[in-house]
Amino acid sequence: MNARFPLFENALSTRFAKRFFGAAQVILQSPLPRSTQELVSLRASQINGCGHCVDMHTKEAAAAGESATRLHLVATWRESTVFTEAERAALALAEEGTRLADAHQGVSDATWEQVRAHYDDDQIAALVCQVAVINAANRLAVIVRQPGGSYQAGMLAAADL
């Protein structure tokens, strides 16, 4: 499978990617735990059918020490015992924030209360921004059909962006 457009080779989209990556760096350097960032990115990417981002975030999470069991169970986190209450709140926010068109209320008050119970203001800001960034990244990759499977952990950080 080949991408329908070389997004990572085009001058305009490369300039955009540099700025987009800069925004993502703010989140990476935030107090939101890296494992939570990767779990949220993985879940949103699963929902959006983005093979490229599922590949990337699974491998980045594993390289950062995330267990295979937890990575395999992200898609069924509600029926799994391996996630903390804070992670469950973040995963619920990721799902509801990703499926905006599926629910007229967007993120529910119950989910928001759980997020507020487990995260401070800076972590919440990072979490909300993470959901927005990964959904944007998913759309970029899905639109051009960027295939998954060839990503190696650390590739994005090493990219000349």
Side-chain angles (χ1 to χ4, degrees), residues 21-161:
F21 184 66
Q25 284 297 105
V26 172
I27 301 163
L28 277 173
Q29 297 166 3
S30 78
L32 184 66
R34 177 72 186 269
S35 59
T36 302
Q37 293 178 36
E38 295 297 345
L39 294 173
V40 162
S41 292
L42 177 55
R43 185 64 191 126
S45 299
Q46 291 170 336
I47 292 166
N48 288 323
C50 183
H52 177 74
C53 294
V54 166
D55 185 35
M56 176 189 304
H57 293 290
T58 300
K59 290 173 180 173
E60 289 292 349
E66 192 59 70
S67 75
T69 299
R70 284 169 44 94
L71 291 174
H72 292 304
L73 292 173
V74 167
T76 58
W77 64 270
R78 282 186 177 83
E79 293 80 28
S80 304
T81 60
V82 298
F83 301 103
T84 67
E85 289 303 313
E87 290 167 337
R88 296 170 85 69
L91 288 165
L93 182 73
E95 285 190 1
E96 292 176 24
T98 297
R99 293 183 162 139
L100 293 175
D102 297 343
H104 70 281
Q105 296 179 336
V107 174
S108 70
D109 290 340
T111 294
W112 189 253
E113 288 173 19
Q114 286 300 306
V115 168
R116 287 302 269 162
H118 294 287
Y119 297 100
D120 65 27
D121 286 353
D122 287 344
Q123 291 172 317
I124 291 171
L127 186 56
V128 169
C129 292
Q130 183 68 34
V131 171
V133 165
I134 191 58
N135 274 280
N138 291 162
R139 277 141 182 82
L140 289 167
V142 169
I143 288 167
V144 301
R145 290 190 183 157
Q146 187 67 36
S150 63
Y151 185 84
Q152 299 296 315
M155 278 176 73
L156 184 59
D160 184 27
L161 295 177

